[in-house]
Amino acid sequence: MATRANDLAIYERHAADWWNESAPAFRSLHRVNEFRTALLDEWLGKRLHDKRVLDLGCGGGLLSAYL
């Protein structure tokens, strides 16, 4: 049986590896996040320091943890 592109069972099977930057299942997400956080630093600088950030439905929290 073919897997659906965004089959939630994939995430369940690999949940223990979510925060592991070297885990094959999520390595690409972590690499993209490195780019996004560098871009946010460039664009926003210290304007986010000491600010509260609300994350609503923005995925698994990789960017939220950074913010």
Side-chain angles (χ1 to χ4, degrees):
M1 175 178 359
T3 356
R4 293 186 339 225
N6 196 21
D7 185 355
L8 297 181
I10 294 170
Y11 301 100
E12 291 295 326
R13 280 195 308 272
H14 299 285
D17 291 330
W18 182 253
W19 294 104
N20 179 357
E21 295 178 8
S22 301
F26 301 112
R27 186 174 30 228
S28 62
L29 289 175
H30 285 278
R31 297 300 171 262
V32 168
N33 205 49
E34 289 172 8
F35 170 77
R36 293 188 301 177
T37 55
L39 198 55
L40 285 173
D41 279 341
E42 180 184 325
W43 288 348
L44 301 173
K46 296 185 186 242
R47 284 182 273 185
L48 287 180
H49 288 236
D50 298 326
K51 300 289 189 282
R52 290 182 184 197
V53 176
L54 177 63
D55 177 356
L56 294 173
C58 296
L62 293 176
L63 190 57
S64 298
Y66 165 79
L67 293 173

